[in-house]
Amino acid sequence: MIHIPKAEYARRRKALMEQMEPNSIAILPAAAVAIRNRDVEHVYRQDSDFQYLSGFPEPEAVIVLIPGREYGEYVLFCRERNPERELWDGLRAGQDGAISDFGADDAFPITDIDDILPGLIEGRDRVYSSMGSNPEFDRHVMEWINVIRSKAHLGAQPPKEFVALDHLLHDMRLYKSAAEVKVMREAAQISARAHVRAMQASRAGLYEFSLEAELDYEFRKGGAKMPAYGSIVASGRNACILHYQENDAALKDGDLVLIDAGCEIDCYASDITRTFPVSGKFSAEQKAIYELVLKSQEAAFAVIKPGNHWNQAHEATVRVITAGLVELGLLQGEVNELIAAEAYKAFYMHRAGHWLGMDVHDVGEYKVGGEWRVLEAGMALTVEPGIYISPDNQNVAKKWRGIGVRIEDDVVVTKKGCEILTGGVPKSVADIEALMAAARADAA
Ligand code: GLY
Ligand code: MN
Ligand code: MN
């Protein structure tokens, strides 16, 4: 299995500590276990920031980074070994494992944190934490600070400043290293196979969930623990619901099916959308809309390169889609005026993409100092234009209504342009029809 090497976690901690102000401390909690319903937990997923700095996969843990600390800069609080609990719930690293397997300089039981952490904070001028996203943990931080304040008369020095960690950490996460791109490429390739499998399996009479099962099969077979987000399998008019989740309708001959799904590998997401005909052959109207979306995506790829700004890809899709909708008679007017009036939003109401990484909608600023961010090598993003013609749109001829198409790929900005990570799924009308025809011939 491809994964982030241990040395990379150490490099990230070092890079973060180098950016912290002198005499400061950073504190980050692991994700809590989420209860699904009585006695049943959701599959555990580590918090992305915590994972980024540690690779430590357990709940009930806290990372503490203390640049310059004599007895070690990286302190990890985590659960103690416990043969009884481990028999029921699985192995724990314990404090020895935290040091030997996860690179901690020092490790303590999480149950001792209230006694130990105030002493680590004491005398530090600044505390970095991700304030606001975890109110319960924010309260704990304040309690630890108050322990120090209560000892001020004994000479204890509480910190003077609280700094949001997000800005530093999320800017680091925005730039993907070679090891990260390798993991993302792997996730993308597994997801590409899953989409191919779903296309091959598609038949009228099956259900949306039948295709979801094909996706899940490839995800798990490829080693993914889970999808990066809830898979969308939307046939017919359901494709016009952007975050459709039911996935339970019957697949009908003559309809399109839109699948937006990607797996997660070592906490890195992939995010692919393909739209194809249930029975393997596009109608004239479906093909016209599909090829317009594809053309707009190609226009976006052409402007994704270092030096261009974040919004150029979106602007490219808007221009192609608006001009195309005019040509097809779905919009009337002059292209520049329609763009200025945002007339395309009746059909294309979302943006062309988002940062991609450990979170499917990844962290990182889209604007800096009020200006769109300039693209640099290592940034990963999706390119996902779409056209959705509402079944209730009375302004267009009936033959267009209910068609929904999105095409989504994942790219990494390279020195000269971008690398498409998800090229393993066919995309042209001819290639999709050929793949589906071949699968039908095999099955016959
Ligand atoms: N799958 C969610 C998105 O495409 O943004
Ligand atoms: Mn998507
Ligand atoms: Mn996306």
Side-chain angles (χ1 to χ4, degrees):
M1 276 285 293
I2 290 180
H3 56 84
I4 299 294
K6 295 262 145 75
E8 175 134 338
Y9 293 110
R11 191 186 60 67
R12 293 169 180 175
R13 288 189 296 270
K14 187 160 175 282
L16 176 63
M17 286 194 273
E18 277 168 7
Q19 294 175 70
M20 289 164 62
E21 296 285 337
N23 200 33
S24 58
I25 182 168
I27 310 172
L28 292 94
V33 171
I35 302 296
R36 181 177 175 278
N37 58 310
R38 188 181 171 85
D39 288 350
V40 181
E41 296 167 356
H42 280 288
V43 176
Y44 185 69
R45 167 56 157 78
Q46 188 53 277
D47 173 81
S48 297
D49 286 337
F50 188 100
Q51 175 76 16
Y52 184 79
L53 291 174
S54 68
F56 192 71
E58 297 182 21
E60 297 182 68
V62 173
I63 293 171
V64 183
L65 298 177
I66 319 167
R69 176 171 175 261
E70 189 180 347
Y71 304 106
E73 298 181 312
Y74 173 29
V75 178
L76 190 58
F77 289 89
C78 60
R79 301 178 301 187
E80 284 182 277
R81 305 281 323 250
N82 179 332
E84 155 92 352
R85 284 316 323 159
E86 288 178 52
L87 170 68
W88 286 88
D89 303 331
L91 299 182
R92 301 173 172 190
Q95 286 67 51
D96 290 344
I99 292 169
S100 60
D101 299 341
F102 293 94
D105 297 316
D106 218 348
F108 300 105
I110 187 74
T111 45
D112 292 347
I113 195 166
D114 291 339
D115 297 329
I116 295 171
L117 191 49
L120 296 175
I121 299 172
E122 203 272 304
R124 297 274 156 181
D125 291 330
R126 274 171 217 82
V127 179
Y128 288 80
S129 72
S130 50
M131 292 175 294
S133 55
N134 183 341
E136 195 186 328
F137 191 73
D138 292 349
R139 255 196 319 280
H140 281 301
V141 173
M142 279 308 133
E143 281 162 13
W144 295 319
I145 303 297
N146 282 334
V147 169
I148 305 170
R149 286 184 181 143
S150 72
K151 293 183 181 154
H153 65 286
L154 302 171
Q157 298 201 352
K160 298 180 209 48
E161 277 181 43
F162 297 89
V163 189
L165 184 60
D166 303 24
H167 181 70
L168 294 181
L169 197 52
H170 293 177
D171 209 61
M172 287 172 61
R173 280 178 51 190
L174 177 57
Y175 297 86
K176 273 67 181 178
S177 68
E180 288 180 290
V181 172
K182 216 164 154 186
V183 173
M184 291 182 72
R185 218 178 263 133
E186 172 78 358
Q189 283 165 3
I190 296 165
S191 298
R193 288 203 294 275
H195 279 261
V196 167
R197 189 181 177 90
M199 283 181 193
Q200 289 169 330
S202 180
R203 300 282 186 282
L206 294 178
Y207 291 84
E208 291 166 345
F209 55 72
S210 320
L211 303 188
E212 186 179 2
E214 304 291 339
L215 300 168
D216 288 342
Y217 175 81
E218 284 294 342
F219 291 169
R220 285 302 275 144
K221 200 160 74 120
K225 202 167 162 193
M226 55 189 129
Y229 55 92
S231 300
I232 297 169
V233 183
S235 64
R237 59 191 285 172
N238 294 335
C240 297
I241 302 168
L242 297 180
H243 285 165
Y244 177 75
Q245 298 269 299
E246 279 82 357
N247 296 0
D248 59 359
L251 302 179
K252 294 209 283 285
D253 190 28
D255 277 352
L256 292 176
V257 54
L258 179 157
I259 297 185
D260 183 344
C263 69
E264 182 177 283
I265 293 288
D266 206 10
C267 291
Y268 285 83
S270 53
D271 183 6
I272 303 181
T273 307
R274 288 292 183 270
T275 310
F276 56 90
V278 164
S279 302
K281 197 107 186 80
F282 285 85
S283 73
E285 288 77 23
Q286 291 166 348
K287 180 165 184 258
I289 297 299
Y290 186 90
E291 291 193 322
L292 178 52
V293 176
L294 187 56
K295 191 172 153 198
S296 79
Q297 199 203 30
E298 279 156 6
F301 290 144
V303 293
I304 298 178
K305 56 181 170 194
N308 281 0
H309 68 68
W310 161 261
N311 207 42
Q312 276 173 265
H314 180 69
E315 289 164 2
T317 60
V318 164
R319 178 153 294 277
V320 171
I321 285 175
T322 306
L325 290 173
V326 170
E327 248 171 67
L328 295 173
L330 286 154
L331 280 178
Q332 287 83 34
E334 201 277 317
V335 172
N336 285 327
E337 284 169 17
L338 291 168
I339 290 174
E342 300 184 335
Y344 57 87
K345 280 195 175 170
F347 303 95
Y348 176 29
M349 55 294 279
H350 58 73
R351 298 192 48 82
H354 47 81
W355 302 131
L356 181 74
M358 301 185 80
D359 294 308
V360 63
H361 294 170
D362 207 27
V363 294
E365 302 289 347
Y366 291 96
K367 280 189 170 179
V368 177
E371 301 289 331
W372 290 113
R373 186 148 200 158
V374 173
L375 298 176
E376 293 176 59
M379 293 176 174
L381 54 143
T382 66
V383 186
E384 50 178 307
I387 295 176
Y388 315 89
I389 308 171
S390 163
D392 307 317
N393 189 335
Q394 305 298 321
N395 300 325
V396 301
K398 226 173 175 172
K399 62 178 183 176
W400 299 109
R401 292 181 203 161
I403 296 178
V405 173
R406 177 163 64 254
I407 307 173
E408 175 173 29
D409 284 286
D410 304 342
V411 309
V412 178
V413 181
T414 57
K415 282 200 185 106
K416 293 217 170 111
C418 65
E419 175 189 341
I420 300 174
L421 304 177
T422 44
V425 208
K427 213 156 50 168
S428 70
V429 165
D431 288 351
I432 289 175
E433 289 186 347
L435 177 98
M436 295 183 74
R440 271 141 212 281
D442 286 348

